[in-house]
């Protein structure tokens, strides 16, 4: 593929995400104009690009689908489930195709044949109904109502957040786009939406406005008040009033009196306002602009900056030896600037997890349909940013978690009713950044994990002793054991071998952390903690013999000083740390460093699978933030080291992967006892 | 010109113990003086450790051990060949410790003899050929194979001296 074709593939994949989003909105609200336009536009762009760069098969498919949606736009047919499904499936196939490596594979003639046939067949059914009788009134002939200003109060009856997938969110957006509008969202402490208060001047009639809410009647309450004829947004008093109620609930009587003042004179200006309403409808513009940069350039930049950090540290080292006042000043400033530079450049590589959220919305929709469950997907903090590589690596594990939540967690509507829960189950994704970690919490309000069954299963499979007494947490952690799948029946959705163990492993590889909570009947929540960047590591610099090592701070719990006499150099022993017996590994011996053992040794308590384990080092130098460099293929078997880093004095320090190190040591220990 | 490049190539010769080896200069990026090598614990013993090569981490192989020679102390002549190697599986950059680097010389392709498959200490797939220089046989190495193989040692394995993988 040439560079233009590659760029088309990249762009098209982005566009397909937008398309998905638009189609889902349309599905939620078949009459919405904004998503229809968006879907149509996106398809048109894909078609144009595909034809220009020689992806004829994709261009052809996009063309026919575009034609279908054009019929919808002209009011000749309506959005139906069938139309949405056909379109989603067709573009899913296109997405798969675009992931092929070669141009030839993507443009295979027969690749999209099935979908083309489906589209044609569907088109014929529409044509047939059209020739029968012109049943659908063309949109243009509808008598436009006179311009009026409404106040709409929408109160959701189930919980939802603004970036969730509930149709109501889209409906409010659509309503707001019908004319000049001002939307006030009141949120509860939990960020769930308490109510929307919408001021809208539009030519749409009240009856039509009400029809928007037909499908969500059970889940929301909407009240409509016609305030006045004409556009109140033209009245300074009204604008002022809007400002005055920005942070308090609207009082209807007060509102009516403000509105009443201008009811009459406003009537005259209909024409002019209509134009304005149109421009207002298109006001969804982002205030930030973006540029597309190749990943390689960013990687190069980060590489240079990490070299700069190393050089800066070396420079500071030399400067402190010279001890010249003016130089020290400059070094300190240089240090600050380098840090700023590093932080800013690291941010460049971060992308919001929004792209993932769209994927998940789609997943939830598809899954709940196949499984006949009603699932409401909420997301919060979709703007949280994370390394692009991390997003890519996390997609599969998170899809797996969500699949599990819907397949095993959320009950069928009947079961939920029986348990006196809302028919709609909820899957919630919450993301936020705390210190240098991104936290992602995926929770559901389903039936929770059946601990009895997990334990029984584990015993059947011989993963734990039949007599073993396990704590609740220990039982829950069995979920992550390879070879344990709790579904009795392997369904199409989950339980196909890639289990939670793979999820946990992936997260460990990213130096992240995973924890799980589950309450019977109340649901399950999985908390994932990931480092912001894959290459920057916060660690503890320690010395063993002549070598320096970095222990990731995330793993470190506490440090103790222990006289060397109390330790025997053979393998592992138990030490009392804070009154608790903790197995301690004698790293000097394990790393076979010949250097003399100091009189006092440092024991670092680390968390290994929730169990405390100690490791010994000669001394602790201090905290150290550093750039992780790969050790290379020659050391791929040394899993206990996740990489190396260059210190300020130019020396190389190895970065320990404590999880893998302890795992190996434990295994050795067990082997030697046998 | 073209004729010449076809028949003659530049080779770097270096010494390990009593033996002299040659390697195509195409793979050798630079020659470094010995600097502090950070040992990686629990790694195979032919891996000496890693060094800081201008901000990057470069693994260094103890070539003597890889070639089945006894471990010897480093001298002032000991240096590190920085190599860029490509094999079918991978593309890697690494350093190789050698006792001394001798010279870069042109070797006529026609003067290279095939390596004997029997009676040689080294496994034949690692040797591209032999050439006589100043009455001494020099072995031309297939660097990419020697240093990217998973085998610990490249010397011939016989029933009596089976090499165990550390």
């Amino acid at each position: 593929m040439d560079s233009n074709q590659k760029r088309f593939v990249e762009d098209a994949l982005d566009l397909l995400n937008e398309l998905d989003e638009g189609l889902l909105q349309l599905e939620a609200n078949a009459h919405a104009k904004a998503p229809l336009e968006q879907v149509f536009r996106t398809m048109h762009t894909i078609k144009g690009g595909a034809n220009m760069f020689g992806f004829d098969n994709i261009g052809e498919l996009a063309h026919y689908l575009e034609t279908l949606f054009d019929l919808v736009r002209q009011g000749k047919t309506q959005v139906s489930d069938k139309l949405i499904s056909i379109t989603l499936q067709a573009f899913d196939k296109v997405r798969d195709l675009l992931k092929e490596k070669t141009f030839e594979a993507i443009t295979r003639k027969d690749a999209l044949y099935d979908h083309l046939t489906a589209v044609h067949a569907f088109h014929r059914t529409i044509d047939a109904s059209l020739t029968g009788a012109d049943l659908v009134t063309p949109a243009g002939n509808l008598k436009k109502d006179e311009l009026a200003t409404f106040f709409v109060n929408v109160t959701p009856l189930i919980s939802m957040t603004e970036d969730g997938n509930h149709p109501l969110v889209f409906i409010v957006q659509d309503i707001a786009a019908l004319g000049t509008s001002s939307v006030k969202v009141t949120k509860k402490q939990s960020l769930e939406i308490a109510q929307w208060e919408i001021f809208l001047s539009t030519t749409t009639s009240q009856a039509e406005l009400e029809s928007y809410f037909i499908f969500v009647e059970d889940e929301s309450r909407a009240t409509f008040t016609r305030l006045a004829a004409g556009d109140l947004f033209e009245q300074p008093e009204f604008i002022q009033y809007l400002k005055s109620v920005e942070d308090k609930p609207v009082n209807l009587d007060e509102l009516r009196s403000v509105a009443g003042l201008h009811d009459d004179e406003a009537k005259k200006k209909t024409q002019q306002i209509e134009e304005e309403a149109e421009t207002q409808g298109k006001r969804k513009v982002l205030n930030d602009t973006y540029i597309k940069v190749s990943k390689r350039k960013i990687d190069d930049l980060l590489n240079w900056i990490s070299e700069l950090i190393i050089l800066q540290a070396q420079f500071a080292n030399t400067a402190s030896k010279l001890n010249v006042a003016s130089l020290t000043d400059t070094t300190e400033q240089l240090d600050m600037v380098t840090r700023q530079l590093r932080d800013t450049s690291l941010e460049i590589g971060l992308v919001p997890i929004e792209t993932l959220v769209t994927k998940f919305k789609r997943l939830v929709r598809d899954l709940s349909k196949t499984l006949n469950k009603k699932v409401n997907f909420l997301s919060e903090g979709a703007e949280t940013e994370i390394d692009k590589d991390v997003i890519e690596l996390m997609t599969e594990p998170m899809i797996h978690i969500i699949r599990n939540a819907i397949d095993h967690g959320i009950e069928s509507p009947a079961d939920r009713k029986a348990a006196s829960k809302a028919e709609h189950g909820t899957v919630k994704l919450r993301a936020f950044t705390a210190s240098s970690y991104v936290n992602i919490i995926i929770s559901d309000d389903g039936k929770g994990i059946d601990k009895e069954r997990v334990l029984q299963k584990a015993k059947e499979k011989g993963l734990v002793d039949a007599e073993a007494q396990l704590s609740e947490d220990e039982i829950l952690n069995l979920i992550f054991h390879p070879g344990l799948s709790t579904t009795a029946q392997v369904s199409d959705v989950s339980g196909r071998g890639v289990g939670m163990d793979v999820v946990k492993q992936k997260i460990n590889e990213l130096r992240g952390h995973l924890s799980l909570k589950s309450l019977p009947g109340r649901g399950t929540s999985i908390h994932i903690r990931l480092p912001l960047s894959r290459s920057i590591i916060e660690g503890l610099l320690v010395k063993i013999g002549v070598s320096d090592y970095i222990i990731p701070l995330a793993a470190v719990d506490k440090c103790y000083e222990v006289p060397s006499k109390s330790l025997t150099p053979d393998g592992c022993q138990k030490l009392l740390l804070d009154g608790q017996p903790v197995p301690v590994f004698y790293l000097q011996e394990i790393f076979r460093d010949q250097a003399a053992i100091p009189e006092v040794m440092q024991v670092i308590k680390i968390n290994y699978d929730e169990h405390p384990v100690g490791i010994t080092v000669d001394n602790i130098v201090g905290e150290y933030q550093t750039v992780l460099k790969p050790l290379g293929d020659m050391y791929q078997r040394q899993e206990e080291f996740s990489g190396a880093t260059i210190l300020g004095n130019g020396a190389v320090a190895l970065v320990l992967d404590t999880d893998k190190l302890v795992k190996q040591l434990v295994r050795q220990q067990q082997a030697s006892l046998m | 010109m073209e004729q010449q490049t076809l028949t003659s190539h530049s080779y770097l010769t270096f010494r390990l113990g009593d033996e002299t080896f040659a390697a195509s200069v195409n793979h050798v990026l630079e020659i470094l003086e010995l600097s502090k090598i950070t040992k990686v614990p629990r790694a195979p013993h032919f891996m000496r450790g890693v060094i800081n090569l201008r901000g990057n981490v470069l693994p260094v192989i103890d070539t003597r051990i890889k070639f089945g020679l006894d471990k010897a102390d480093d001298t002032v002549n000991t240096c590190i060949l920085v190599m860029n190697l490509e094999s079918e599986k991978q593309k890697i950059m690494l350093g190789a410790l050698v006792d001394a680097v001798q010279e870069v010389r042109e070797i006529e392709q026609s003067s290279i003899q095939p390596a004997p498959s029997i009676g040689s200490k080294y496994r034949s797939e690692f040797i591209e050929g032999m050439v006589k220089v100043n009455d001494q046989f020099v072995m031309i190495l297939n660097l990419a194979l020697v240093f990217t193989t998973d085998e610990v040692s490249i010397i011939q394995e016989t029933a009596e001296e089976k090499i165990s993988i550390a």
Side-chain angles (χ1 to χ4, degrees):
Chain A
M1 270 188 280
D2 65 31
S3 63
N4 280 330
Q5 287 168 337
K6 275 187 190 142
R7 195 166 307 150
F8 167 74
V9 171
E10 283 274 307
D11 285 348
L13 285 171
D14 284 349
L15 286 171
L16 286 176
N17 269 345
E18 278 172 32
L19 193 61
D20 261 11
E21 174 90 38
L23 286 167
L24 292 181
Q25 290 189 22
L26 257 191
E27 185 178 41
N29 180 1
H31 301 291
K33 290 205 180 70
L36 176 64
E37 286 303 321
Q38 189 224 322
V39 165
F40 185 75
R41 242 188 348 257
T42 316
M43 275 186 202
H44 191 76
T45 316
I46 294 176
K47 173 177 108 174
N51 287 335
M52 185 181 290
F53 299 114
F55 298 87
D56 294 342
N57 53 348
I58 296 174
E60 192 184 4
L61 183 69
H63 170 74
Y64 286 112
L65 282 164
E66 188 191 334
T67 316
L68 281 182
F69 278 86
D70 198 30
L71 288 175
V72 179
R73 278 172 86 216
Q74 292 167 19
K76 288 188 178 154
T77 183
Q78 276 164 355
V79 174
S80 61
D81 277 1
K82 174 98 175 143
L83 174 65
I84 299 281
S85 296
I86 284 182
T87 318
L88 282 176
Q89 280 160 15
F91 282 109
D92 278 351
K93 181 70 195 174
V94 171
R95 196 192 317 259
D96 288 348
L97 269 186
L98 288 175
K99 286 180 183 154
E100 297 279 354
K101 293 270 173 323
T102 63
F103 181 69
E104 287 69 29
I106 298 179
T107 51
R108 246 182 323 124
K109 271 235 147 48
D110 55 338
L112 294 167
Y113 184 76
D114 290 350
H115 294 283
L116 263 182
T117 337
V119 174
H120 282 314
F122 187 68
H123 198 164
R124 273 195 298 277
T125 60
I126 295 178
D127 274 349
S129 70
L130 277 181
T131 45
D134 213 3
L135 290 171
V136 190
T137 332
N141 289 359
L142 279 173
K143 190 187 167 293
K144 285 260 175 188
D145 289 83
E146 246 181 285
L147 187 70
T149 306
F150 294 93
F151 171 66
V152 187
N153 180 304
V154 184
T155 315
L157 300 177
I158 61 170
S159 65
M160 60 185 71
T161 56
E162 234 177 335
D163 40 16
N165 76 334
H166 196 276
L168 197 55
V169 180
F170 304 135
I171 291 174
V172 169
Q173 284 170 8
D174 290 334
I175 292 225
L178 288 172
T180 315
S181 62
S182 156
V183 180
K184 214 173 108 214
V185 193
T186 319
K187 289 177 189 166
K188 295 175 196 162
Q189 196 93 50
S190 58
L191 286 182
E192 280 163 19
I193 291 163
Q195 64 166 359
W196 281 280
E197 288 167 324
I198 308 158
F199 299 92
L200 169 72
S201 77
T202 176
T203 51
T204 315
S205 70
Q206 182 165 339
E208 206 174 316
L209 283 181
E210 282 170 12
S211 73
Y212 273 81
F213 292 88
I214 289 175
F215 297 107
V216 288
E217 268 174 349
D218 296 342
E219 289 136 26
S220 65
R221 195 179 58 230
T223 55
F224 300 83
T225 316
R226 186 175 177 281
L227 294 174
D231 185 356
L232 284 181
F233 284 89
E234 288 220 310
Q235 309 302 332
E237 290 88 347
F238 182 67
I239 303 290
Q240 207 164 1
Y241 170 76
L242 284 186
K243 280 202 185 116
S244 74
V245 293
E246 243 165 34
D247 39 33
K248 61 177 189 193
V250 176
N251 178 316
L252 264 185
D253 291 336
E254 199 181 302
L255 176 59
R256 277 207 191 92
S257 73
V258 174
L261 292 174
H262 300 282
D263 201 357
D264 291 334
E265 76 182 85
K267 272 184 184 169
K268 299 159 194 165
K269 301 183 177 173
T270 317
Q271 191 63 39
Q272 179 194 345
I273 288 148
E274 222 164 59
E275 282 166 30
E276 223 170 272
E278 204 153 276
T279 45
Q280 281 286 323
K282 293 174 189 161
R283 92 201 127 120
K284 263 191 158 182
V285 186
L286 290 168
N287 353 346
D288 211 351
T289 54
Y290 294 89
I291 49 165
K292 233 178 178 168
V293 185
S294 102
K295 182 87 177 47
R296 189 182 50 78
K297 284 186 189 164
I298 293 178
D299 286 347
D300 279 354
L301 177 71
L302 285 177
N303 265 332
W304 285 113
I305 285 174
S306 53
E307 302 225 346
L308 181 67
I309 291 170
I310 292 159
L311 277 177
Q312 191 272 329
Q314 283 173 11
F315 182 68
N317 207 12
T318 322
S320 74
K321 276 180 201 149
L322 292 174
N323 202 10
V324 183
S326 57
L327 193 56
T328 319
D329 225 32
T330 323
T331 344
E332 273 168 13
Q333 282 185 28
L334 183 64
D335 181 61
M336 197 194 70
V337 174
T338 343
R339 267 166 207 279
Q340 284 284 343
L341 187 60
R342 182 200 59 201
D343 291 347
T344 319
S345 54
L346 272 179
E347 258 173 47
I348 298 177
L350 303 183
V351 290
I353 63 166
E354 218 169 329
T355 46
L356 271 181
V357 171
T358 309
K359 250 183 210 160
F360 295 158
K361 280 183 194 171
R362 178 68 201 284
L363 176 76
V364 171
R365 169 206 179 263
D366 290 358
L367 268 184
S368 43
K369 282 212 161 158
T370 18
L371 296 168
N372 283 323
K373 290 181 180 178
K374 291 188 177 167
V375 186
N376 179 17
F377 179 69
L378 303 178
S379 78
E380 203 179 281
E383 71 284 351
T384 309
E385 291 186 321
I386 192 168
D387 193 294
K388 189 158 191 274
D389 293 344
V390 176
I391 284 203
E392 270 159 27
L393 288 165
M394 279 310 295
T395 309
E396 276 303 312
M398 284 173 63
I399 284 181
H400 188 82
I401 292 173
I402 292 179
R403 264 193 191 130
N404 268 339
I406 299 175
D407 195 15
H408 306 318
I410 306 279
E411 313 89 329
S412 66
D415 286 354
R416 289 185 68 91
K417 237 183 179 164
S420 55
K421 284 183 178 180
E423 272 188 29
H424 264 91
T426 303
V427 173
K428 191 166 163 189
L429 180 133
R430 201 158 87 84
F432 58 95
T433 315
S435 68
S436 55
Y437 286 90
V438 174
N439 293 267
I440 299 170
I441 301 172
I442 300 172
S443 55
D444 66 68
D445 66 347
K447 59 176 178 263
I449 292 170
D450 187 345
K451 297 190 186 83
E452 288 296 308
R453 209 160 112 218
V454 172
L455 187 60
Q456 190 196 335
K457 198 95 191 183
K459 283 180 177 169
E460 270 171 31
K461 300 207 166 176
L463 302 178
V464 288
D465 223 39
E467 308 301 318
Q469 291 292 320
L470 296 181
S471 72
E472 292 208 342
D473 277 349
E474 282 171 324
I475 297 175
L476 280 182
N477 271 317
L478 284 173
I479 301 275
F480 301 113
H481 200 291
L484 185 107
S485 177
T486 46
T487 22
Q489 214 174 355
V490 174
S491 67
D492 181 40
V493 179
S494 53
R496 59 178 104 188
V498 278
M500 289 300 282
D501 58 315
V502 180
V503 171
K504 181 154 194 175
Q505 191 195 326
K506 275 261 170 78
I507 290 167
N508 278 347
E509 271 167 26
L510 291 169
R511 289 182 284 116
H513 184 82
L514 177 99
S515 64
L516 184 145
K517 273 187 229 136
S518 184
L519 285 173
R522 300 270 298 279
T524 307
S525 140
I526 290 179
H527 187 157
I528 302 167
R529 215 163 62 117
L530 295 166
L532 259 185
S533 150
R534 296 183 69 197
S535 53
I536 297 280
I537 186 161
E538 302 261 6
L540 207 56
L541 179 63
V542 302
K543 271 190 178 295
I544 300 176
V546 293
S547 303
D548 302 291
Y549 297 90
I550 303 264
I551 301 173
L553 262 190
V556 175
D557 189 16
K558 210 169 168 184
C559 305
Y560 304 85
E561 278 192 354
V562 173
S564 305
K565 287 185 300 228
S566 61
L567 286 159
T568 45
D570 53 335
C572 175
Q573 59 205 302
K574 293 227 159 144
L575 267 189
L576 272 184
L577 298 177
D578 288 340
Q580 191 191 7
V582 173
V584 172
F585 291 98
Y586 201 91
L587 271 199
Q588 284 89 341
E589 176 63 22
I590 291 155
F591 286 174
R592 287 205 186 77
D593 219 301
Q594 308 298 331
I597 303 287
E599 269 181 31
V600 175
M601 232 185 286
Q602 310 288 327
V603 174
I604 300 175
K605 191 162 95 179
I606 55 176
N607 289 319
Y608 168 70
D609 253 4
E610 311 299 322
H611 302 295
V613 168
I615 51 176
T616 64
V617 300
D618 288 358
N619 60 62
I620 296 170
V621 182
E623 275 184 36
Y624 205 84
Q625 191 182 42
T626 181
V627 186
L628 188 71
K629 305 252 173 182
L631 272 181
D633 287 344
M634 305 300 293
Y635 284 110
Q636 57 184 353
R637 291 210 184 114
Q638 265 57 53
E639 279 193 322
E640 60 268 49
F641 300 106
S642 47
T645 187
I646 314 269
L647 300 178
N649 60 9
V652 180
L654 297 171
V655 180
L656 281 174
D657 183 331
T658 50
D659 249 19
K660 292 199 171 111
L661 174 71
V662 176
K663 194 184 263 176
Q664 287 184 6
L665 294 178
V666 169
R667 213 179 287 150
Q668 273 176 23
Q669 186 78 11
Q670 283 164 347
S672 69
L673 288 177
M674 270 197 243
Chain B
M1 246 334 255
E2 204 175 25
Q3 193 66 20
Q4 202 191 357
T5 50
L6 270 177
T7 56
S8 151
H9 286 300
S10 297
Y11 287 85
L12 176 77
T13 61
F14 56 89
R15 200 170 49 74
L16 277 179
D18 313 327
E19 282 178 277
T20 307
F21 296 89
S24 168
V25 291
N26 292 339
H27 296 299
V28 182
L29 296 181
E30 61 183 310
I31 297 159
L32 298 176
E33 277 183 36
L34 194 60
S35 56
K36 183 179 183 267
I37 301 181
T38 304
K39 195 185 119 194
V40 178
R42 297 150 64 84
H45 61 295
F46 67 83
M47 297 299 301
R48 180 67 85 84
V50 287
I51 59 165
N52 166 12
L53 178 66
R54 289 184 297 277
N56 281 310
V57 176
L58 184 80
V60 177
I61 289 185
D62 196 329
T63 319
R64 290 185 66 101
I65 297 176
K66 190 89 182 172
F67 282 41
L69 301 169
D70 291 333
K71 204 170 160 52
D73 286 338
D74 298 329
T75 67
V76 283
N77 286 327
T78 308
C79 53
I80 299 171
L81 305 185
V82 181
M83 299 180 294
N84 210 353
L85 301 176
E86 256 177 84
S87 73
E88 286 163 19
K89 295 180 289 182
Q90 52 200 335
K91 195 173 165 186
I92 51 174
M93 200 161 133
L94 55 80
L97 273 180
V98 297
D99 288 352
V101 166
Q102 291 181 325
E103 58 175 343
V104 174
R105 67 182 300 138
E106 297 285 311
I107 296 177
E108 284 282 324
Q109 293 298 293
S110 57
S111 67
I112 298 177
Q113 299 160 21
S117 55
I118 308 166
S120 165
K121 183 178 166 198
Y122 301 103
R123 297 192 7 210
S124 56
E125 63 260 41
F126 297 117
I127 309 293
E128 272 177 2
M130 312 267 283
V131 71
K132 208 167 186 181
V133 177
N134 304 334
D135 285 335
Q136 202 191 358
F137 272 109
V138 171
M139 263 173 283
I140 299 174
L141 294 171
N142 182 340
L143 281 183
L145 263 188
V146 169
F147 290 109
T148 56
T149 175
D150 290 333
E151 312 277 335
V152 173
S153 166
I154 62 157
I155 60 170
Q156 294 264 24
E157 272 185 59
T158 59
E160 302 96 75
E161 44 171 344
K162 191 146 178 97
I163 309 296
S164 62
I165 293 172

